Each structure stands twice: as structure tokens, then as C-alpha cells.
């Protein structure tokens, strides 16, 4: 069968450098134990082959029908474990029922990478390890510490539950067709947090509101969210800051301060 024709709308840039594919495949090895792996977007299976060669318990979800046909023909070991579906819409319980844990990986379709990471957050107690490649700037943003211009909504939300590492950069010329941007490989390990220390919905609302007005001080961006009767908290120094200056713990404190006025992250 001929090669799959790359479709821009599906973010298809196929890896052609086997040494890079091997390095990405190795990012999931550590501490995996017997945990199965779910690969998003196997395409023509260049990463997939490394996982299969290592004897990993591998599952894959691919949206492109042409890639599915290719994989069925060329990667028969995936039979029964290859899902022709949209990762964003797929009910992951169908593959991993009863909260079974798995690792997530892939050379992700860059056009939906933020949505993939929001879905990861929804399933965080089932996914202790997530690795993969995405647009370099996005990868840097997810791993960015506070105080950096890249630090944003997804950095805070992911770092609340995961330790995020930027591993290495990948050049455009190792793909066919080459993307217009460089790529970055990251690894996220679930931390041991079971409880955030504040209401999760309120936390997300505070983080999103603050970053949506990131040029303003927190006093200006968040004043509309202060619970009635709690307005005096606005004199706290933290409200002189801008959102990119706050650590996850400070966002937790801030949420407690303005919504419940507790001011501590227990
Ligand atoms: C950047 S390509 C990577 C392909 C292959 N893993 C490689 O490294 O050569 C992204 C892959 O994700 C697939 N894809 C795009 N959107 C998807 C979605 N919503 N769910 C599952 N797969 C998707 C594309 O069809 C494509 O095969």
C-alpha cells in the first residue's frame, strides 16, 4: 500500500527520522511497569513500531481513515487495539474501564494540542504519565515556571496536578511535510496531590479570568469575582501582582481569599 497522503486539516506531519521517533518512544519507559500505553494519532506508525518492538501493551486512536487502513495492513499487531475515532470525543472508559491506569503519548496533532491537555486534566487520576511532541512554543508554555512570559492558563492548571518537564527540541526537517514551526518533547508525571486546597471550579475560574486580562493587575482583573462582604481582601499585596507572577500555591491562596476568604492552601 502506498504512503498516507498528509492532510493539513488533521495536523499530519509524519516523522521520518527514526532516531527521533526512538527518543520519543523512550520517554514513556521509565516507571511504566505493566501500565498500558495509549498513543494518539499513530499515522503510519513510526512511533508505534518502537512501542510494539519493546513489547508494550499498546492501544492507539487515529482519526484518519487512510491511516487506519495503512496501519491495519502494516501493523497487524495493533489489531483489536486500534480505534478509528476522534480522541477528543472518544469515551476512554471503552478502552480502559473501571479507572484502569494508562500512559498517554504521541506525536500530537498540533492543531488540537491544548484540547488534548484539557482532556488529560479531566482524566488525571487515570493517567499518571503523559509524554509526547507538540509545537515547541506550546511545549515550553506547559513546562514554564512562574515569572516567565510563556506561563499561562494551561501551565498553572497542569502544574497543579503534574510535574512538567521540557525534554528536547526537534527541528522541522525530520517531518514530511515539514511543519512551519519547531517542535518540543515533554513529559508530565502526576504529582501525589489528591486535593487542591480550594474549590477546583473556583480555582479554574480565577486562573482563567486572571490570564484573560493578563496585562492588568489582579486587583483590576479579579475585583468582579470577590464574594460580597470580602472587598477588604483587595488591600492585600498579592493583588498588586500580575497573573504570570503567581505560583500554583498562590493561585490556590488567592482563590480561597476571594471566594471563601480563608487565605491558606491546606
Ligand atoms: C503530527 S501527526 C503524527 C503521525 C505519526 N504519529 C508520526 O509521528 O509520524 C498527528 C496524527 O494525529 C492524527 N489525528 C489528528 N486529529 C486527531 C484526533 N482528533 N484524534 C486522533 N487522531 C488524530 C492525524 O491523523 C495524524 O496521524
Amino acid at each position: 500500500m502506498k504512503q498516507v497522503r498528509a492532510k493539513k486539516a488533521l495536523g499530519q506531519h509524519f516523522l521520518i527520522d527514526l532516531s527521533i521517533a526512538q527518543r520519543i518512544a523512550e520517554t514513556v519507559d521509565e516507571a511504566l511497569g505493566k501500565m498500558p500505553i495509549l498513543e494518539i494519532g499513530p499515522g503510519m506508525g513510526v512511533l508505534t513500531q518502537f512501542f510494539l518492538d519493546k513489547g508494550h501493551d499498546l492501544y492507539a486512536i487515529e482519526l484518519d481513515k487512510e491511516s487506519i487502513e495503512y496501519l491495519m495492513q502494516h501493523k497487524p499487531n495493533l489489531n483489536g487495539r486500534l480505534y478509528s475515532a476522534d480522541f477528543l470525543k472518544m469515551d476512554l472508559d471503552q478502552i480502559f474501564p473501571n479507572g484502569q491506569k494508562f500512559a498517554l503519548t504521541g506525536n500530537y496533532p498540533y492543531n488540537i494540542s491544548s484540547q488534548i491537555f484539557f482532556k488529560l486534566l479531566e482524566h488525571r487520576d487515570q493517567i499518571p504519565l503523559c509524554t509526547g511532541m507538540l509545537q515547541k512554543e506550546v511545549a515550553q508554555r506547559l513546562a514554564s515556571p512562574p515569572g516567565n512570559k510563556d506561563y499561562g492558563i494551561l501551565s498553572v492548571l497542569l502544574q497543579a496536578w503534574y510535574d512538567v518537564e521540557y525534554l528536547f527540541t526537534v527541528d522541522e526537517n525530520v517531518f514530511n511535510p515539514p511543519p512551519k514551526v519547531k517542535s518540543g518533547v515533554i513529559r508530565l508525571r502526576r504529582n501525589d496531590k489528591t486535593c487542591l486546597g480550594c474549590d477546583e471550579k473556583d480555582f479554574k475560574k480565577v486562573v482563567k479570568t486572571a490570564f484573560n486580562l493578563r496585562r492588568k493587575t489582579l486587583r483590576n482583573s479579579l475585583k468582579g469575582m470577590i464574594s460580597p462582604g470580602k472587598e477588604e481582601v483587595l488591600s492585600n499585596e498579592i493583588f498588586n501582582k500580575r497573573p504570570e507572577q503567581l505560583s500554583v500555591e498562590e493561585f490556590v491562596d488567592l482563590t480561597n481569599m476571594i471566594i471563601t476568604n480563608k487565605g491558606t492552601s491546606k
Side-chain angles (χ1 to χ4, degrees):
M1 186 185 174
K2 60 178 178 11
Q3 304 264 298
V4 172
R5 182 181 47 91
K7 298 160 200 79
K8 206 173 166 188
L10 291 176
Q12 286 184 331
H13 297 277
F14 298 112
L15 255 178
I16 49 173
D17 184 327
L18 292 183
S19 65
I20 298 287
Q22 182 173 14
R23 279 180 79 191
I24 298 172
E26 281 166 359
T27 59
V28 289
D29 277 0
E30 198 189 327
L32 194 62
K34 285 198 177 347
M35 200 163 47
I37 300 178
L38 176 62
E39 183 187 355
I40 301 177
M44 285 187 275
V46 64
L47 274 179
T48 318
Q49 190 58 51
F50 283 100
F51 295 129
L52 292 172
D53 288 348
K54 288 200 159 200
H56 284 307
D57 186 10
L58 181 70
Y59 295 79
I61 301 180
E62 172 59 63
L63 183 55
D64 178 35
K65 296 273 184 296
E66 200 186 341
S67 297
I68 292 279
E69 272 180 40
Y70 183 96
L71 290 162
M72 282 167 55
Q73 199 169 329
H74 292 267
K75 311 285 171 205
N77 291 355
L78 259 188
N79 274 350
R81 291 157 164 258
L82 175 62
Y83 292 79
S84 175
D86 181 340
F87 171 76
L88 298 177
K89 295 189 184 148
M90 174 105 196
D91 176 2
L92 300 180
D93 282 349
Q94 275 185 35
I95 315 178
F96 304 108
N98 308 318
Q100 186 193 357
K101 293 195 187 246
F102 62 96
L104 188 67
T105 193
N107 169 13
Y108 298 120
Y110 296 180
N111 49 339
I112 58 162
S113 54
S114 297
Q115 295 161 71
I116 289 174
F117 285 95
F118 278 113
K119 183 154 179 168
L120 166 72
L121 278 172
E122 284 169 29
H123 291 270
R124 60 181 183 250
D125 289 336
Q126 228 180 328
I127 311 180
L129 179 68
C130 169
T131 77
M133 180 150 66
L134 52 162
Q135 185 179 334
K136 182 183 175 190
E137 285 72 22
V138 180
Q140 283 175 325
R141 200 180 308 150
L142 303 190
S144 168
N148 190 305
K149 69 173 173 34
D150 296 330
Y151 189 65
I153 295 173
L154 256 181
S155 338
V156 179
L157 299 185
L158 284 170
Q159 289 172 33
W161 304 105
Y162 287 93
D163 298 330
V164 187
E165 288 169 273
Y166 184 93
L167 299 178
F168 57 92
T169 301
V170 176
D171 281 342
E172 300 86 325
N173 58 10
V174 302
F175 299 90
N176 182 28
K180 290 204 174 77
V181 290
K182 289 198 188 307
S183 303
V185 176
I186 55 168
R187 174 164 47 211
L188 295 86
R189 287 197 191 87
R190 181 77 169 83
N191 60 30
D192 54 8
K193 219 179 268 171
T194 50
C195 161
L196 192 58
C198 68
D199 181 86
E200 191 175 332
K201 257 198 203 148
D202 290 339
F203 174 76
K204 286 184 183 157
K205 212 161 116 191
V206 167
V207 172
K208 286 181 182 171
T209 308
F211 278 104
N212 284 337
L213 296 167
R214 68 183 293 151
R215 284 162 185 273
K216 300 200 171 190
T217 62
L218 296 168
R219 181 167 295 108
N220 284 326
S221 58
L222 298 179
K223 61 183 176 215
M225 292 185 70
I226 311 280
S227 298
K230 313 277 190 213
E231 293 79 4
E232 80 279 2
V233 298
L234 282 173
S235 59
N236 190 300
E237 275 186 10
I238 198 169
F239 288 94
N240 295 335
K241 293 190 178 181
R242 289 187 166 72
E244 64 271 19
Q245 296 173 278
L246 260 56
S247 65
V248 170
E249 291 70 28
E250 285 175 307
F251 268 111
V252 170
D253 281 349
L254 190 66
T255 305
N256 282 325
M257 236 184 251
I258 64 181
I259 315 270
T260 67
N261 204 19
K262 280 189 212 138
T264 50
S265 54
K266 288 281 137 28

